[in-house]
Amino acid sequence: LSAAHGVGTRAALPLRALAPLRAFPPQICRLSTVAMAAETTATRDDIRNIAIVAHVDHGKTTLVDAMLTSAQAIQGTINKDDRMMDSNDQERERGITILAKNAAIKYKDIKVNIVDTPGHADFGGEVERVLNMVDGVLLLVDAAEGPKPQTRFVLKKALAMGHRVLVVVNKIDKPAARPEYVIDKTFDLFVELGATDEQTDFPIVYTSAINRVAGDEPDDIKDNMGPLLDKILELPKPQCDVDGPLQLQISNIGSDNFIGRLGIGRIKSGKVAKGLPVGICAGP
């Protein structure tokens, strides 16, 4: 990691380098500095942090594949059945997402950090945890089925955290698609869950993730995912405390064959630099 990894970004720290600090009790393990700088709030214009949430099988992972393809984030072609984010053996066997995972794309010189979340109710804890890492949410809804039970659960969590929501009506290519009905039901769900006036005035994008197309209207679908990516750039920009002490909220655990265990999270304040001493706190 370099000093360029500042607030609002997502970082991965090798946990083995921090292992000696675990001997301290959580009560006294706190990040501190000798001289606290005055808190300076700034906005990162070059970053967006978003999570994709939905009911199971509404197309979250396929949508991530479509965004990666449209933004040319990886070399080669992602086939329609590849599901790049479902790297776990059980996920590929069952065809569902079990663990939340993050990826990043570059679009119009802005880095978009994307968190793909599980849609199955049994893994709802994964969704709750990663929502703290983002500033905006893509709520994916099937163009034929509309909001389902898990849609209600994940939306309730997102609204409670004050997140701005972008509604994505997916699978618009279905013969049974009924986008107007789905939007009406989604609006009713927002109202039932006590959304603010600003949250109920949600933007809408229509997509067919498997065909890698999107549009602002059901009858005006472009041949790429540009309309969706443009709407993502309108979501809230991350706020940060530039001069504060380093605070990194670890929300996920990963591993690397060469580095070892990784703590993946969001930098809330300060900056990460190579060789910077840090402490691990087990609780709030």
Side-chain angles (χ1 to χ4, degrees), residues 163-214:
H163 289 320
R164 179 83 168 145
V165 180
L166 167 59
V167 174
V168 181
V169 180
N170 193 33
K171 304 185 182 182
I172 196 68
D173 57 310
K174 277 187 173 182
R178 41 181 183 173
E180 293 184 1
Y181 167 84
V182 169
I183 292 300
D184 288 343
K185 287 297 182 182
T186 303
F187 178 81
D188 292 344
L189 183 58
F190 271 74
V191 175
E192 289 176 20
L193 296 176
T196 64
D197 291 342
E198 182 182 8
Q199 288 172 326
T200 53
D201 187 21
F202 49 81
I204 307 168
V205 178
Y206 302 87
T207 67
S208 173
I210 198 167
N211 294 315
R212 312 311 197 227
V213 296

Side-chain angles (χ1 to χ4, degrees), residues 101 193 225 243 254:
K101 304 174 199 67
L193 296 176
M225 301 299 291
D243 299 323

Side-chain angles (χ1 to χ4, degrees), residues 20-265:
L21 294 173
R22 293 175 181 165
F24 291 97
Q27 292 78 7
I28 64 172
C29 184
R30 296 291 185 268
L31 295 174
S32 62
T33 57
V34 176
M36 293 288 289
E39 183 174 329
T40 305
T41 302
T43 301
R44 292 292 299 264
D45 295 323
D46 58 336
I47 292 176
R48 300 293 185 276
N49 298 315
I50 62 167
I52 304 179
V53 299
H55 187 76
V56 64
D57 247 359
H58 279 196
K60 296 181 300 301
T61 305
T62 306
L63 184 69
V64 176
D65 287 352
M67 294 167 65
L68 291 171
T69 301
S70 184
Q72 298 179 343
I74 62 173
Q75 295 181 345
T77 303
I78 305 176
N79 295 323
K80 292 183 178 181
D81 297 325
D82 278 351
R83 299 193 311 276
M84 291 289 292
M85 300 294 283
D86 285 347
S87 55
N88 185 286
D89 291 339
Q90 286 194 31
E91 291 175 327
R92 289 193 171 278
E93 180 182 346
R94 299 183 183 186
I96 61 174
T97 301
I98 298 175
L99 302 174
K101 304 174 199 67
N102 64 289
I105 61 174
K106 200 86 171 182
Y107 182 69
K108 294 184 177 179
D109 295 325
I110 295 176
K111 182 179 181 181
V112 181
N113 291 311
I114 308 167
V115 183
D116 182 26
T117 64
H120 200 284
D122 290 346
F123 312 113
E126 287 279 313
V127 181
E128 291 186 72
R129 186 168 64 251
V130 301
L131 283 178
N132 289 313
M133 295 175 63
V134 300
D135 306 290
V137 170
L138 268 62
L139 179 69
L140 211 61
V141 186
D142 189 291
E145 297 180 2
K148 303 292 279 185
Q150 189 67 2
T151 310
R152 183 185 187 93
F153 173 80
V154 295
L155 179 59
K156 181 179 180 180
K157 298 298 180 182
L159 294 176
M161 294 182 181
H163 289 320
R164 179 83 168 145
V165 180
L166 167 59
V167 174
V168 181
V169 180
N170 193 33
K171 304 185 182 182
I172 196 68
D173 57 310
K174 277 187 173 182
R178 41 181 183 173
E180 293 184 1
Y181 167 84
V182 169
I183 292 300
D184 288 343
K185 287 297 182 182
T186 303
F187 178 81
D188 292 344
L189 183 58
F190 271 74
V191 175
E192 289 176 20
L193 296 176
T196 64
D197 291 342
E198 182 182 8
Q199 288 172 326
T200 53
D201 187 21
F202 49 81
I204 307 168
V205 178
Y206 302 87
T207 67
S208 173
I210 198 167
N211 294 315
R212 312 311 197 227
V213 296
D216 294 324
E217 297 293 338
D219 54 356
D220 184 24
I221 303 297
K222 309 299 182 185
D223 59 356
N224 54 46
M225 301 299 291
L228 173 62
L229 295 172
D230 288 334
K231 279 288 198 302
I232 288 174
L233 298 189
E234 297 174 7
L235 291 173
K237 305 169 185 177
Q239 301 293 319
C240 52
D241 177 11
V242 180
D243 299 323
L246 172 64
Q247 291 183 347
L248 167 62
Q249 179 188 13
I250 296 178
S251 300
N252 215 341
I253 299 295
S255 63
D256 184 274
N257 291 333
F258 300 97
I259 301 175
R261 295 184 69 198
L262 297 173
I264 303 170

